[in-house]
Amino acid sequence: MHSAVDAERSSSRAAATAPARVAVAGATGYTGQELLRILSRHPAVTVTAAMSSGTSAARKLPALARLWAGDITPLSVDSLRQAEVVFLALPDAAAAELGPTLVDAGVRVIDLSGAFRLTEATARARWYPETYRVPEHTVYGLTELARPAVAGARLVANPGCYPTATLLALSPIAAAGLLAPDVDVIVDAKSGVSGAGKTPSERTHFSEVHGSMGAYGVFGHRHGAEIEQGVASATGAATVVNFVPHLVPLDRGILATIYVRLTPGTTEDTLADVFQQAYLSAPFVRLVGSTLPEIKHVAHTNFCDIGWRVDASGRAVLVSVIDNLLKGASGQAVQNLNVMLGIDERTGLW
Amino acid sequence: MHSAVDAERSSSRAAATAPARVAVAGATGYTGQELLRILSRHPAVTVTAAMSSGTSAARKLPALARLWAGDITPLSVDSLRQAEVVFLALPDAAAAELGPTLVDAGVRVIDLSGAFRLTEATARARWYPETYRVPEHTVYGLTELARPAVAGARLVANPGCYPTATLLALSPIAAAGLLAPDVDVIVDAKSGVSGAGKTPSERTHFSEVHGSMGAYGVFGHRHGAEIEQGVASATGAATVVNFVPHLVPLDRGILATIYVRLTPGTTEDTLADVFQQAYLSAPFVRLVGSTLPEIKHVAHTNFCDIGWRVDASGRAVLVSVIDNLLKGASGQAVQNLNVMLGIDERTGLW
Amino acid sequence: MHSAVDAERSSSRAAATAPARVAVAGATGYTGQELLRILSRHPAVTVTAAMSSGTSAARKLPALARLWAGDITPLSVDSLRQAEVVFLALPDAAAAELGPTLVDAGVRVIDLSGAFRLTEATARARWYPETYRVPEHTVYGLTELARPAVAGARLVANPGCYPTATLLALSPIAAAGLLAPDVDVIVDAKSGVSGAGKTPSERTHFSEVHGSMGAYGVFGHRHGAEIEQGVASATGAATVVNFVPHLVPLDRGILATIYVRLTPGTTEDTLADVFQQAYLSAPFVRLVGSTLPEIKHVAHTNFCDIGWRVDASGRAVLVSVIDNLLKGASGQAVQNLNVMLGIDERTGLW
Amino acid sequence: MHSAVDAERSSSRAAATAPARVAVAGATGYTGQELLRILSRHPAVTVTAAMSSGTSAARKLPALARLWAGDITPLSVDSLRQAEVVFLALPDAAAAELGPTLVDAGVRVIDLSGAFRLTEATARARWYPETYRVPEHTVYGLTELARPAVAGARLVANPGCYPTATLLALSPIAAAGLLAPDVDVIVDAKSGVSGAGKTPSERTHFSEVHGSMGAYGVFGHRHGAEIEQGVASATGAATVVNFVPHLVPLDRGILATIYVRLTPGTTEDTLADVFQQAYLSAPFVRLVGSTLPEIKHVAHTNFCDIGWRVDASGRAVLVSVIDNLLKGASGQAVQNLNVMLGIDERTGLW
């Protein structure tokens, strides 16, 4: 239903109007660099500023030589105010402060931190202890499930990487009422190391990760709360999600294996129908059914591939894979930008 | 309670008597080579033959140069009959045929295939369709849970790699009656690629595995049946185990993440007590509690490291790691040999 | 001097004329898939056929779902004749036969095999023993060094991956007469495993490559002859090149470390001048000087990054990196296509 | 000529006398931990102390649970004086100060730092700027080439990892007078990341290393001077060695590819004779000839595997591989200990 040629055409249309002025705050981390890489080739935008809070003088990013000619400059709120849309790839506290300021100044914001993801104040206070104001028209931007709201948002809270992979598989089933009540949902997630960011640490030292693997954050990772919020918004009722992330020896990619019990009579075909309906016009979701997806097929793309198996007793295993830096962060942020600008969702991402 | 010096002393004692004559059938695969590597340095045995069914003339194994001086010879049942103990590292069908023959000839057998692991005939017929005879005194050799039986066994069915990692964590809890009834046990297991054997295939091609990851065998891996058998033998009742293995981009190691519901009131300390009791004199099981174990610490060793977390509502996450070629195969096979010979369990493995 | 916006504009211009009809013979290997991935998004071409000699009926490539909607069909010379330009990603013998046939039929050919790379008949006969005809207007297509010839070529011999990385660093120095006479050139090259192709083998089995590394093809790799040919064509005299390739545990990328002696007085600045002159209008060559380049910065791009160090005595070390599947194969093939079509060299590759 | 059984017997003999009292200063880095792992199972020694300069109170090393029961204690020179042999796995400056102090106190020292490796004062002053005293009976401990001197040494300078791999291949050829005069020796070396130590840095961050590779230290790595010293001591004349190390995405292992020109008439068989003569009673050197060695076969062992190819014109390529933490550091240190104690060289290392 979609094709590369369509995408090209839409882009050309978009390019005909004046390009949108966008800025990136936090441009030197892995997500920031990935944002710049995409935006520098995006036909419908002009990057007016790329800033880093750790920078005191303008400098170049060697990895982007020939791709982006601009400098990385020190963080300046005045400069950010000149943009139409600002991407925040900053720590939570910095984003929590800067987001409302920019919205007040009439700038639309796409925030890649966690600050605005939890909508319920108590949950937010538990995982993000800073006190801050959530602007009106703040939207949780899991694009495929929130397009109309994203289109009109002033601030988009770009979802976490684990919740993106998990909720794209889980939400349609939850919304269709197919989850057996009173059974825990188990989410066993595996992530590449780029998800841990760019700052060297013992946990991300090559010799500690290579040939190894481990779980972390059991019962204590805030993406668990974000996933529970997503499931609850789909079902209208609280569901316990037991979420355990693992660090695996690869660079880019997340694979979430999700264990659920379904209501009696639900089959693999039922799920196929539910997913096809949910993702009828979602260019970045690919349904692979019982084949089961692999990280290799989504790395360096904005795709989310979803597979599923159901047995006769209603046990189901869902497997969902994404590139954590693209669909799990910067790719989805640009996808949200496209929706906000009213242009083809795939522009700059195909 | 144990120390390296004790192990050394026991080995010396063992070496004082005549060394046991052992043979390896299937010596060129990854588990066979690992067996030879261990046995060639084992002070209480002499390797009388190392055979390969794919070999038509005697040849050397380059990887074992200087470690083992012998040749790999074509498979010969007559030669195997000369040994006191024979290790079978062969395909299921070959082991199913050879095992009973050797037992009939008075040879004790340690079988690393799957042929004799399932004790119940119906389950066995489902996963191992060949028809064959199970000799008397066949024992499922998860060493720590079966020492007395192994000591007197004629044929030891050496456990699968996934069941070894899983049951060492799960069985003591099941045996203590701490599993909440009627809740599925979820076992999400991740394995290095050496577990898939030495034969090249698309699934194990470097370029397919590197930077990737995937689930396989959902609802259809026979190690699931082996795990269910282990849990049932601990609880006396059938328990549904939802077992999903994954292939991860590392060579050696298995990490099993196990999700269970515990009976009300069970805490992390309860589990600590249960495990300490169960593994009081188990030199190869290390309890790391809430730290959670990592593959790195067990790779190239015969250890199984077990960690656990329990929340206030009784949800528990157990994490168990082993080296799939050692504790998950050849190491445990030699551990079983030591128990059969009545010598220190650690001999040759420390 | 170049920018993404220019590239976009040129592409748009190109797209205004009728797209070129191109076909791919050998579309299921790693280079074939990479070609399809690029061509399916290329604004100036239409893929009229993607064929595989191993295919007996039309089928899909799962990795390209959503990116390319077409089928892979069985190899058909008649169909290939309908295209304006055909990419051959076939074994040498098949390409040697098919190339002249297509050229005779008026089709322009870009051949990714080795069949037409060596121009001197004796050398070719040593490394490519099949007898075959080299069509007129066959050009060795190292794009940056052969643009005018490529523009008018009927058959482009797309260079090997090792020669591409090596000659882009070595040729300008050789052509400037800066190589000390009578000193061997040493090329120590390291390649990721995708360079070995898609067919599983013991040498490319994950467990054999992970955590390992080795040299191969010493004094016997035909890319050595291709490099010597390139140096000789730059200097006009024969130079001994001692080329040793190594297989390293990564998927995509080549790093060539080149050891040469320079004529007296040559400095790092001399080389900087020579390279800048040579690559003044080469959008895909980035000069990083004494920083030395890393594979990470070129993986998944068509860039070649070149660094160099010279000491006071005239010893020099050149380091050159490319992505073996892109600049080392399919990317350069499309770059050559762009030159043949007279459009911006970066179209579809930026 | 050697066998595992011999090694076992020698060990038993050694164990009959009182075990030697050894201590480790710097026990928490990668080489220190590896030393402890070996020494804790070594039948002829007792570890009296394991110290870390970064430790203010006694603590355990989790990775060595069950293998070594002792504590890591703060660095204490008084305690070190109680030992017969002290291993220094400390930074250069700390070793430079501590080494002579301990020798003065009658303790024998095996130093794994670089402080005492360069014997010529000018060279040492260039690469190790601290001023310090070199004790009498200091010996460069490349075991295979210096056994008698090591046996009587007061301080053994344990060689660097790159020089170990390189000189074991190069020295016998140089000593036999087979190197063509006035031709540079090229050493292109590739190392796993554990060689860079345990301190996290951007260069050793998993996401920077995985899927990448780079050269470093061109013309500026002090192991180059150490290699030139080794060649000069074999030939009696200065030889230029062009040494370039690279960091590759694996954890343990070094592969050195060495390019030399040989005197006319030298063949592969000549080299085979030279090597066999040199390593007649060297249990840890394995000669693999034209097969060429791979890191996989030496990882986690103390072996050095050496291969070679020579062409008709006298060009030769030597390939040498070791495990950088064992033969390149801690394994060779224990090998030197064994020589100093007059026991079988393989004790504790087989």
Side-chain angles (χ1 to χ4, degrees), chain D residues 240-313:
Chain D
V240 174
V241 175
N242 199 347
F243 166 69
V244 177
H246 300 72
L247 206 61
V248 297
L250 52 88
D251 187 32
R252 296 170 76 127
I254 281 180
L255 182 142
T257 312
I258 305 165
Y259 301 83
V260 293
R261 274 274 179 190
L262 302 177
T263 51
T266 310
T267 66
E268 290 187 3
D269 287 347
T270 319
L271 295 197
D273 289 347
V274 166
F275 282 130
Q276 273 155 22
Q277 194 61 34
Y279 297 124
L280 201 58
S281 40
F284 290 117
V285 176
R286 298 187 296 197
L287 303 173
V288 302
S290 63
T291 315
L292 301 187
E294 292 177 36
I295 284 177
K296 183 183 172 74
H297 293 139
V298 298
H300 298 277
T301 82
N302 198 50
F303 288 118
C304 175
D305 286 3
I306 301 173
W308 58 92
R309 296 293 309 278
V310 182
D311 80 355
S313 71

Side-chain angles (χ1 to χ4, degrees), chain D residues 182-236:
Chain D
D182 301 325
V183 180
D184 296 353
V185 170
I186 309 288
V187 178
D188 187 292
K190 300 92 179 167
S191 173
V193 181
S194 62
K198 208 188 161 188
T199 309
S201 69
E202 189 178 326
R203 199 164 67 96
T204 59
H205 189 51
F206 184 86
S207 296
E208 298 297 317
V209 177
H210 182 260
S212 194
M213 187 171 185
Y216 68 99
V218 178
F219 303 135
H221 196 291
R222 56 205 204 178
H223 283 189
E226 194 179 331
I227 293 169
E228 289 195 334
Q229 164 181 287
V231 177
S233 89
T235 59

